[in-house]
Amino acid sequence: MGTPSLSPWAVLVPTLVLGGLWAPRVVSRQPNFIVILADDVGWGDLGANWAETKETPHLDQLAAEGTRFVDFHSAASTCSPSRASLLTGRLGLRNGVTHNFAISSLGGLPLNETTLAEVLREAGYTTGAIGKWHLGHHGRHHPTSRGFDFYFGIPYSNDMGCTDNPGYNVPPCPPCPRHGTAARLARKDCYTEVALPLMENVTIVQQPVELGSLARRYVEEAARFIQRASDSGRPFFLYLALAHMHVPLSPPVPPAPGRGVYGASLGEMDELVGRIKELADSLGRGSTLLWFTGDNGPWAQKCELAGRLGPFVGAWQRQRGGSSAKQTTWEGGHRVPALVYWPGRVPARRTSRALLSVLDIFPTLVALAGAALPPSRSFDGLDVSPVLFGWSDVGHKVLLHPNSGAAGKVGEIEALRLAQYKAFYTTGGALACDGSTGPAEQHQPPLIFNLDRDLQEQEPLDVASREYQAVLPAISKAYAQALQDIAADNVSVADYSQDPAAIPCCNMQHVGCRCHGAQGALGSSWDPHVEKRTPRLCL
């Protein structure tokens, strides 16, 4: 679906011709790309999607000036697999990343997998990654070894290390220890031994990181990166993976009455995205595609600190216990908000109902850059540029949903989407706010829901009904063909082994790997530029 017959960096955009028909015209300049990936954001966390949400004016404006995709899905419903799929265009059963990496992981995204950054850099792009990585940080798995010229951020989730100001979490976690083992407090689900690091390229510049200033610093680094790329005259690819809305939440000011911690943090994320849009408009020279989406749905066990599902509540599962959001194959786990903005290229004020996925980002951006997909492997994503440009509203015929920890074997294909129908071969609920989990259940024949009538996934079709019997053969065929295609592919295997020596630590002599002169020690007087002149290398 690319444009190989055009010049190496030709980009097709629509233009109106006689008779009122849309036809392509060519812009022979490689576009810039900004991909913003929010963490644990709910489909209903955007006001453009869900009227109850009032905290996202900038995102809503982005939707008004671009195209909103309402049937858009993450490739998995947890962190590492979803990010691996974005950067490879391949599901976890192909790229090897089926569950999350740890702070002590030796491996990461397999080295024989080609990332989007590697393809674009080869095509002449300046590439930068800012924010959460979570695809391996040890050795050659670091972002600067995976195609990115520049990296600034946290190597994994923002709850995978202690900080001096822990923010809001459920349950709350203690601050980093300062005076040896006597000060340490063990608590389930909390990291108390090692402080959360902030890295620039392979150097730890702050440990523990000050979470309250992270959004501001990400914007500052993004501005520097875009300015450098603009000055160089080269196209750029910026992958901005936010800490928002993953716990712990650290709103910059105490939340206003009635707004709550989550609302205040959502407002901070919204302002960050608004600032990035301003940078794209001012420094991107009118040729920047901005793609906003999420890695998976809300983390329901975090109760009031979890996002809004919108209508995608997974009612069938909720009746049986457990959450139907993050880690599950219910719509709330993988249906995520998605906005694409490119002035003069992507239609404004448009809502698309095409069935799309995070998997499509890789092949679409590669095609728009005039580059070629890596050989000798299959891709689960599509070049959906015709959908972006408004020429088509047809996306995937079939979309696969892997288990991400709620039930069954991680990475296995448990659910399948075919047109408006969704079939479950295994169901299960993740840990919910009330402490319940839904047991794994196998379904043969599969449960089938018609999402056109039942967005809540409340009532599966009666197996004896005409509708069920009519659609079952097509679903069974698509499921079998998908599994055969994966089995015949050039698949990778990730190394999930661990070693404490792989934990990023800027000073092993200090409790929690604390750096001298870090924010926690000097408070507001800490100068990041001074820190950068004192390199502390990641092990």
Side-chain angles (χ1 to χ4, degrees):
M1 297 175 67
T3 56
S5 61
L6 300 174
S7 66
W9 48 82
V11 178
L12 288 173
V13 296
T15 185
L16 192 64
V17 297
L18 292 176
L21 298 177
W22 288 98
R25 63 184 174 88
V26 175
V27 176
S28 56
R29 182 180 186 273
Q30 286 174 299
N32 306 311
F33 303 125
I34 300 175
V35 174
I36 303 178
L37 187 71
D39 200 340
D40 289 359
V41 69
W43 188 92
D45 279 338
L46 270 62
N49 284 348
W50 198 241
E52 294 178 14
T53 299
K54 308 298 184 184
E55 298 91 353
T56 59
H58 295 95
L59 282 161
D60 298 344
Q61 184 63 30
L62 192 69
E65 297 181 17
T67 295
R68 179 172 65 107
F69 297 92
V70 295
D71 202 354
F72 192 94
H73 301 263
S74 59
S77 54
T78 195
C79 303
S80 296
S82 179
R83 292 156 200 273
S85 291
L86 187 157
L87 289 175
T88 64
R90 287 154 56 85
L91 287 166
L93 283 182
R94 299 188 198 270
N95 66 39
V97 181
T98 56
H99 53 289
N100 290 339
F101 293 104
I103 66 171
S104 55
S105 286
L106 289 171
L109 176 65
L111 299 177
N112 58 315
E113 290 290 322
T114 303
T115 70
L116 176 58
E118 288 170 326
V119 175
L120 293 178
R121 185 163 69 175
E122 185 69 21
Y125 279 71
T126 296
T127 57
I130 295 175
K132 173 177 173 177
W133 178 239
H134 215 173
L135 291 174
H137 51 272
H138 185 68
R140 294 173 61 200
H141 296 287
H142 190 274
T144 54
S145 296
R146 304 312 307 266
F148 289 101
D149 299 315
F150 172 77
Y151 174 66
F152 183 88
I154 298 172
Y156 26 71
S157 293
N158 58 325
D159 65 341
M160 295 174 68
C162 63
T163 61
D164 289 334
N165 298 292
Y168 297 87
N169 202 343
V170 176
C173 290
C176 283
R178 289 179 177 271
H179 306 295
T181 55
R184 298 182 185 182
L185 176 62
R187 187 169 296 177
K188 188 177 183 295
D189 298 328
C190 294
Y191 288 73
T192 57
E193 299 294 319
V194 180
L196 188 67
L198 179 66
M199 305 184 71
E200 180 172 335
N201 297 322
V202 296
T203 302
I204 297 174
V205 296
Q206 193 180 28
Q207 194 170 9
V209 64
E210 175 51 54
L211 291 175
S213 66
L214 202 56
R216 171 183 57 81
R217 298 189 70 179
Y218 282 177
V219 170
E220 291 172 353
E221 293 298 333
R224 292 190 188 100
F225 172 80
I226 294 173
Q227 184 68 66
R228 288 194 301 266
S230 180
D231 292 344
S232 74
R234 294 173 61 191
F236 66 82
F237 166 49
L238 173 60
Y239 170 51
L240 177 55
L242 306 179
H244 299 82
M245 298 297 300
H246 198 293
V247 293
L249 301 179
S250 301
V253 294
R259 194 181 190 195
V261 172
Y262 192 89
S265 297
L266 186 60
E268 183 185 41
M269 181 188 77
D270 179 71
E271 291 175 9
L272 185 158
V273 174
R275 180 67 182 120
I276 297 299
K277 177 181 177 292
E278 291 176 3
L279 291 170
D281 288 339
S282 61
L283 300 176
R285 298 179 178 175
S287 185
T288 300
L289 182 154
L290 192 159
W291 200 322
F292 173 87
T293 188
D295 69 336
N296 48 250
W299 199 358
Q301 74 180 72
K302 298 303 178 179
C303 303
E304 71 274 11
L305 302 182
R308 297 183 175 99
L309 292 169
F312 307 107
V313 297
W316 188 93
Q317 184 60 57
R318 282 193 174 184
Q319 294 165 4
R320 290 157 177 79
S323 156
S324 56
K326 179 178 177 177
Q327 297 182 312
T328 78
T329 53
W330 298 97
E331 290 293 291
H334 53 76
R335 191 181 291 227
V336 290
L339 308 172
V340 177
Y341 168 77
W342 189 3
R345 310 290 193 268
V346 170
R349 300 191 178 277
R350 174 172 172 254
T351 297
S352 170
R353 289 173 172 76
L355 179 59
L356 303 185
S357 169
V358 162
L359 292 158
D360 304 327
I361 293 175
F362 183 110
T364 301
L365 300 195
V366 167
L368 291 175
L373 292 175
S376 305
R377 69 202 69 189
S378 296
F379 291 87
D380 298 291
L382 304 173
D383 170 13
V384 296
S385 50
V387 181
L388 300 191
F389 295 146
W391 309 339
S392 168
D393 210 28
V394 177
H396 290 260
K397 294 180 180 178
V398 175
L399 196 60
L400 307 176
H401 300 300
N403 170 38
S404 296
K409 184 178 178 182
V410 289
E412 293 294 325
I413 306 302
E414 293 187 345
L416 173 147
R417 176 78 178 274
L418 177 68
Q420 74 268 36
Y421 295 100
K422 185 172 177 187
F424 287 86
Y425 290 89
T426 303
T427 56
L431 184 64
C433 176
D434 63 7
S436 68
T437 57
E441 293 185 43
Q442 305 295 321
H443 303 280
Q444 195 58 255
L447 291 182
I448 300 177
F449 295 83
N450 183 333
L451 297 181
D452 278 355
R453 299 195 303 265
D454 187 10
L455 289 177
Q456 297 183 340
E457 295 173 300
Q458 183 168 7
E459 189 67 38
L461 300 180
D462 184 342
V463 295
S465 70
R466 243 186 209 178
E467 186 177 12
Y468 186 99
Q469 294 300 321
V471 74
L472 179 62
I475 286 175
S476 300
K477 181 179 179 181
Y479 186 62
Q481 287 179 339
L483 297 183
Q484 290 170 5
D485 182 68
I486 292 171
D489 192 19
N490 181 12
V491 300
S492 301
V493 178
D495 176 10
Y496 278 96
S497 63
Q498 299 184 37
D499 188 326
I503 299 174
C505 183
C506 68
N507 193 325
M508 297 179 66
Q509 304 305 313
H510 290 173
V511 174
C513 293
R514 186 181 294 275
C515 290
H516 277 311
Q519 177 90 2
L522 296 182
S524 60
S525 65
W526 180 77
D527 183 349
H529 301 291
V530 173
E531 281 289 311
K532 292 169 188 174
R533 290 197 293 270
T534 313
R536 297 175 176 87
L537 299 182
C538 174
L539 292 174

